[in-house]
Amino acid sequence: NEVRAVYGGFGLMMFGALMYALQQTDYRPGILLCMGLALVGMALGRVISVIPDRGISPMMIVVLISEMAGGGVLLLAI
């Protein structure tokens, strides 16, 4: 339940927010800032979790790069 809520629900709302930002240009910078910071924050959480997890998996590297790239693109789009 927790994994579906965080990864499924969060992703759906991120998509919805992006679709809303396409229509509402007045809100676009704030939406992009919030979404970009959320993705970068998730990536930083993954980096920090390497210490207690004592390692990093190849899949985690892929997700980390995706989150950092997505967050960076959103922040640059502001």
Side-chain angles (χ1 to χ4, degrees):
N1 186 311
E2 182 67 19
V3 172
R4 281 190 295 273
V6 172
Y7 291 101
F10 184 74
L12 288 172
M13 289 297 99
M14 293 280 276
F15 176 77
L18 279 175
M19 293 299 102
Y20 186 75
L22 286 174
Q23 303 299 317
Q24 301 295 326
T25 57
D26 291 343
Y27 296 113
R28 187 175 299 153
I31 291 170
L32 296 179
L33 176 64
C34 183
M35 292 177 65
L37 291 175
L39 286 172
V40 171
M42 289 169 62
L44 290 174
R46 288 185 197 284
V47 170
I48 292 168
S49 74
V50 169
I51 296 166
D53 292 345
R54 297 185 182 141
I56 187 167
S57 71
M59 183 62 179
M60 187 175 161
I61 293 171
V62 170
V63 175
L64 173 67
I65 291 169
S66 299
E67 289 169 346
M68 291 183 75
V73 167
L74 290 170
L75 293 173
L76 288 174
I78 298 172

